[in-house]
Amino acid sequence: MQLARQRLTSLKGVGDKQAEKLARLGLHVVQDLLFHLPLRYQDKTRLHAIAQLLPGQEAQIEGEIVSQHLTQSRNSSLLVSVCDPEGQRLTLRFFHFGFRQAQQFKRGARIRAFGEVRSGPKGLEMVHPVYQLFSEDKRPPLDTTLTPVYPSTEGLGQASLLKLIRQAMALLQQYPLPEGLPQAFLSTWQIPPINQALTTLHQPQPDDDLAALKRFAHPAQKRLILEELLTHQLSMQWLRQQEQTRRAPAIGPSRLVNTLVASLPFALTGAQNRVWEAISQDLQRPHPMQRLVQGDVGSGKTIIAAMAAIQAAEAGLQVAVMAPTEILAEQHRNHFAEWLEPLGIELAWLNGRLKAGEKRDQLARIENGDARIVVGTHALFQQEVTFARLGLVIIDEQHRFGVHQRLALHDKGHQKAGEEDTHPHQLIMTATPIPRTLAMSAYGDLDLSVIDELPPGRQPIDTAVLNQSKREEVMAHLVAQCQQGVQAYWVCPLIEESDQLDAQAAEVTAEQFRQQWPDLRLGLIHGRLKGDDKARIMADFQAHALDLLVATTVIEVGVNVPNASLMIIENAERLGLAQLHQLRGRVGRGAKKSHCVLLYKPPLSETGKARLNIMRETNDGFKIAEEDLKLRGPGEILGTRQTGGLQFRIADLERDQAWLNQAREAAVQLLAQAPDQAEVLHQRWLGEKMGYQHA
Ligand code: ADP
Ligand code: MG
């Protein structure tokens, strides 16, 4: 019998209704239940003294009922006061209770209760504890082991889940699961076989190391964590292998790239050269490039993208360059036009706001192949866009896009050219530095290049953190600077989750400047402006026809005005570190010394203070990302990528970072040496998910 196939409705007590609830937890077959792992454990093996309890703690107490009464409010609650043998008191509070239940709590009766301690109006309380009443001579024994607590859903209590898992475990004894890891792994890592590990996790025995289990440091837990991480790595290696069996046009080395490089007013940095070398090599292979280029803000990724585009265009292929915002797409269009048009390479341009006629014209040039380079926003992957011969897809600031959007563009390039099935090369760029271990997990299917050097002459940005109360002074200081030729940004970040309010905050600030300093050349930019207006304002700022740009976070990514050297960010405490770093990265792009002021609204929490201090202490995006990871956890940092299959059942990328490398190496080994076991793991953990990733 295969537990992987046996429906849950074959278990006792599971009808259609119950099955529906279980399905909400992703539980469909018996094996799913076995891998529905405890989130944590309750410890009812001992009693706590009331005197030692702290709010927030989960505890078990025992004592004598000294009183009970109903509160007088409209929805009265039942309060039961318990006194432990040391004479300390605690209140049990019930909001819902029946008459009979209330009657049970007789004065002098003995009670044992388990629950979370919190501070109530008159000292410590437990709300709706699990409890047992007993008489002096029939004191129930304490539990001898931990009670697992499972992820649950509405209408499905722990008790029902426990019952079902008990049935599943009984089936497991009869029909053990196949082992997915070679014996050698088990001995090296000192972890138990799968069936034993599952038994320990679901039904820990008194002689198991319960303390380790509570800390998620038990070998049985390590077994499952490693297995899950390893399987995740496996799936990415599969993806990679699969990609490598696909064909892509081999794009020979380019002459025009050298022409461009020779014409630049600067020399490429060592890091840029190294990364370019890797990309150029990738393009020459007959399989799709899958490369992620990470480089801190200002490290010079755009020119690298342009070089790749030239290599493809020179070979007669088309290139799609996608940016997450219109402002950035517009700026790329300008840069690319400046670099590529002198080389005789034609550009097309797509955004959501083109007029019908203009759009038809651009689409036609893309379809007949005249336009080699197509720059745009996500408008690029709409149905109506047909490429003649797409050979390379470049995605800038990829963390701002969803996985689906990336896949959609990838699919566009998948075309039948006669018998041959070819896919475009992919170059993905991001300025969000991700700590290396995390990057390997999130982007294990991609090759990784890092531009780890800034162009010479850049000076670190000085950052000050100031109370909002200094706002007027900061404004005056900014104006004085502008009068001496400095260009500045004033950023009013998202106040609410609303474009409109956000734009208003920027409008109000712009108005304040205009009233007090009518001579200041000021531009206002936000998401609600028309595309043409945005483009005009950005161009004016670029040309130094404006001194100050008051903006929302629409300028967060990519914007490049090297002369700007002062950045003010309001409500800095509300933004993530990565976002602050991105915003701040709009300055410090030229040779001028740059400054950044972070204004915050007090009171700041301890973490809030710590976060802003990191911004003051370092300009290094990788360090900032490491700290961000510590403060916020990996989910937020990876953002949309998470929906691409990074939801772990037991592993926690932060807690388990130390094992990522081992899991990765083991996955390579397993795939080479024991593909059958690899298949077992794949079936166990991924099932349908692989299909999604292949989409
Ligand atoms: P990002 O990596 O943030 O996308 P950009 O590509 O916008 O950075 O580059 C930032 C600025 O640095 C641009 O003005 C660009 O022309 C310039 N730049 C790029 N490479 C070099 C280099 N090797 N030396 C000097 N300036 C460079
Ligand atoms: Mg950029």
Side-chain angles (χ1 to χ4, degrees), residues 373-449:
I373 314 284
V374 186
V375 182
T377 56
H378 51 277
L380 277 187
F381 58 79
Q382 280 159 8
Q383 291 292 324
E384 47 189 349
V385 187
T386 315
F387 290 90
R389 237 193 130 197
L390 184 60
L392 169 64
V393 171
I394 299 176
I395 300 178
D396 195 15
E397 308 291 353
Q398 88 88 30
H399 59 284
R400 302 289 298 254
F401 290 105
V403 177
H404 301 284
Q405 292 171 321
R406 174 154 86 86
L407 290 174
L409 197 56
H410 187 248
D411 288 347
K412 271 221 172 295
H414 179 188
Q415 47 182 238
K416 298 261 183 213
E419 286 298 283
E420 211 183 16
D421 209 6
T422 71
H423 290 252
H425 295 280
Q426 278 199 75
L427 177 61
I428 296 159
M429 303 196 291
T430 178
T432 299
I434 301 169
R436 188 152 186 104
T437 43
L438 202 52
M440 285 191 319
S441 291
Y443 301 104
D445 55 329
L446 307 176
D447 290 307
L448 182 64
S449 290

Side-chain angles (χ1 to χ4, degrees), residues 330-501:
E330 171 86 25
Q331 182 183 288
H332 279 345
R333 173 171 78 144
N334 295 337
H335 278 134
F336 275 63
E338 180 190 324
W339 290 326
L340 307 199
E341 278 174 355
L343 303 175
I345 300 173
E346 272 191 48
L347 250 68
W349 159 245
L350 278 181
N351 69 14
R353 296 181 196 266
L354 287 182
K355 295 206 178 70
E358 206 181 339
K359 183 168 174 184
R360 213 176 312 121
D361 183 44
Q362 300 284 344
L363 286 174
R365 292 175 58 240
I366 297 169
E367 191 161 354
N368 69 22
D370 281 353
R372 285 289 157 75
I373 314 284
V374 186
V375 182
T377 56
H378 51 277
L380 277 187
F381 58 79
Q382 280 159 8
Q383 291 292 324
E384 47 189 349
V385 187
T386 315
F387 290 90
R389 237 193 130 197
L390 184 60
L392 169 64
V393 171
I394 299 176
I395 300 178
D396 195 15
E397 308 291 353
Q398 88 88 30
H399 59 284
R400 302 289 298 254
F401 290 105
V403 177
H404 301 284
Q405 292 171 321
R406 174 154 86 86
L407 290 174
L409 197 56
H410 187 248
D411 288 347
K412 271 221 172 295
H414 179 188
Q415 47 182 238
K416 298 261 183 213
E419 286 298 283
E420 211 183 16
D421 209 6
T422 71
H423 290 252
H425 295 280
Q426 278 199 75
L427 177 61
I428 296 159
M429 303 196 291
T430 178
T432 299
I434 301 169
R436 188 152 186 104
T437 43
L438 202 52
M440 285 191 319
S441 291
Y443 301 104
D445 55 329
L446 307 176
D447 290 307
L448 182 64
S449 290
V450 184
I451 306 185
D452 51 5
E453 183 184 353
L454 292 179
R458 296 276 170 82
Q459 300 178 54
I461 306 161
D462 273 350
T463 300
V465 178
L466 295 179
N467 191 315
Q468 170 85 5
S469 62
K470 297 266 175 21
R471 190 170 184 270
E472 295 284 324
E473 288 165 54
V474 173
M475 286 172 82
H477 172 77
L478 177 145
V479 173
Q481 290 287 307
C482 286
Q483 281 158 357
Q484 291 172 29
V486 163
Q487 279 189 283
Y489 295 95
W490 185 289
V491 181
C492 310
L494 220 62
I495 305 281
E496 303 285 338
E497 285 298 322
S498 138
D499 263 4
Q500 192 177 355
L501 291 178

Side-chain angles (χ1 to χ4, degrees), residues 264-270 272 295-304 328 331-332 335 339 396-397 429-431 451 454-456 458 558-562 582 585-586 589-590:
L264 291 174
F266 50 77
L268 295 181
T269 62
Q272 281 172 316
D296 208 345
V297 284
S299 62
K301 294 182 291 294
T302 318
I303 186 70
I304 299 295
L328 185 51
Q331 182 183 288
H332 279 345
H335 278 134
W339 290 326
D396 195 15
E397 308 291 353
M429 303 196 291
T430 178
I451 306 185
L454 292 179
R458 296 276 170 82
V559 167
N560 183 44
V561 179
Q582 282 277 340
R586 298 314 110 215
R589 303 191 140 239

